[in-house]
Amino acid sequence: MTENPSRGLRPNGTAIARAKSMPPWSLLAAGAVLGGLLGGAYGAVKTPTYTATSYVVAVPTEKSDPAAALGFAQAYGRVATQLAVLGDAQVWAGVPVGTLRTSVRTATSPDAPMVSVSATSSRPDLAADMANAVSRALTRHANDAQADTHVELQQFARATKPTEASSASPSVTALVGAGAGGLLGGLALLVRPRRTTDTARPASVPSPATSADVRGQM
């Protein structure tokens, strides 16, 4: 009993035929919908994070000038995340140094002698505690060297407990997912098997010459 070899190729051919018959916009729509669903689900399942920020300002003493204060503010912004400062901050924040190192970021301004200390955590109260602890430790280290730098570091604003999450909401992640899904759908559209419109025509065979035509040519 012989088997028909074309049976194994029939599902593949059917799938290709269906892919060719699909309208072009269907891949874009399917990718956008699927990406939006996955993005929204990710945003809903992911734990929200909160960010709290405190500010310290460098103030020049009588033996210094504002330009020196601006320069030291830039330096303090880089020192704030060093082990010497974080080692003292962990006592007030109640978290290990490793947590502070991965959760705390600093930023400075080229126009103002100010340092911002931001901390991120899944707990809003802990985010504020870490930002304030690092600012306090940084101020203490800076003022210990005030006799040499002639610049005093003062607290400008304490970090408060954030009321809204800083991480993206499910609606935002859904929009991002929909955009990414639509892009993938567009790429799939480029490599999609195209529908062939020109059908192959059989080669024309000349009709046999009659005997009268043969005699005329001789």
Side-chain angles (χ1 to χ4, degrees), residues 47-129:
T47 303
T49 56
Y50 300 85
T51 301
T53 304
S54 62
Y55 298 90
V56 294
V57 60
V59 180
T61 62
E62 296 179 356
K63 299 181 180 180
S64 183
D65 54 17
L70 181 60
F72 276 106
Q74 301 289 330
Y76 291 146
R78 293 187 291 269
V79 172
T81 54
Q82 299 300 316
L83 182 60
V85 177
L86 297 182
D88 291 343
Q90 69 173 342
V91 179
W92 299 308
V95 295
V97 174
T99 302
L100 292 175
R101 184 172 296 173
T102 58
S103 304
V104 176
R105 296 291 181 269
T106 60
T108 57
S109 172
D111 302 322
M114 185 174 294
V115 181
S116 64
V117 180
S118 300
T120 303
S121 175
S122 58
R123 292 170 43 193
D125 56 338
L126 182 58
D129 291 341

Side-chain angles (χ1 to χ4, degrees), residues 27-41 174 177-178 180-182 184:
L27 291 176
L28 295 175
V33 171
L34 181 59
L37 292 176
L38 293 177
L184 293 177

Side-chain angles (χ1 to χ4, degrees), residues 16-46:
I16 295 177
R18 290 179 178 177
K20 290 181 179 180
S21 62
M22 292 175 61
W25 55 265
S26 61
L27 291 176
L28 295 175
V33 171
L34 181 59
L37 292 176
L38 293 177
Y42 172 78
V45 173
K46 183 182 178 182

